[in-house]
Amino acid sequence: AKKVPKDYFGSHIFRKPEVLRGLLVEGLAQSGDVRLPNVTVARQWKKFMEDDLEHLFPQDDVVRVIAHPERREFGNDVSSIVANKARRMSDIEFPTDARGKPRRVLVAVGPEGGWEEPYELDKFIDMGFQQITLGPRVLRSDVAVISLLTLAHEMCALNR
């Protein structure tokens, strides 16, 4: 994403995958969970969206959700502003697959301050993401991730 600081991927967490795995295992132990999540780190946002997204997270298998603070208005097109109004996680359409099984959830969390508007946000919407918000305040990314995972877990539990 454009707002990601250039030195972000220089972090020791990204240089040493075992550090990231250790943090994930520690979090699982603390929460009493045993299923290690798949974490995808994409260094080139546009390439990932155009070349990798559908392969890794097919839209037929995954409900795509993007978190972003309330969207700002661009231009005078009131209908697009209303149509793109952010919703809450509980408002997400959560269809089932061909076997009647609820689909998995992919949550896209951007850098602090949100995704670049309108380009990045529109690209997500074009790729089938449903936009949600955690409210009008901009949260730190780590706080947003924890909140979104909790809400996604609850949504999955309700749709079983």
Side-chain angles (χ1 to χ4, degrees), residues 34-129:
V34 295
R35 205 166 167 194
L36 194 65
N38 293 325
V39 176
T40 301
V41 178
R43 292 176 186 258
Q44 297 177 340
W45 180 83
K46 186 176 179 183
K47 180 186 178 306
F48 175 79
M49 291 295 286
E50 293 174 354
D51 299 341
D52 302 330
L53 176 67
E54 188 60 30
H55 172 72
L56 291 171
F57 307 102
Q59 198 165 1
D60 290 341
D61 298 338
V62 178
V63 175
R64 296 175 178 177
V65 177
I66 178 174
H68 185 70
E70 288 286 339
R71 188 167 187 173
R72 298 184 200 122
E73 297 181 16
F74 283 92
N76 297 322
D77 187 358
V78 176
S79 62
S80 69
I81 294 166
V82 172
N84 290 319
K85 181 95 172 110
R87 301 174 295 167
R88 301 292 181 168
M89 184 71 84
S90 59
D91 298 328
I92 293 299
E93 298 170 29
F94 198 75
T96 57
D97 64 15
R99 299 174 307 242
K101 182 179 175 185
R103 296 190 306 186
R104 297 177 302 147
V105 177
L106 169 65
V107 180
V109 181
E112 291 176 20
W115 301 97
E116 182 186 49
E117 295 184 39
Y119 177 73
E120 289 177 347
L121 200 52
D122 286 344
K123 184 73 169 174
F124 276 107
I125 302 302
D126 292 345
M127 298 296 290
F129 281 78

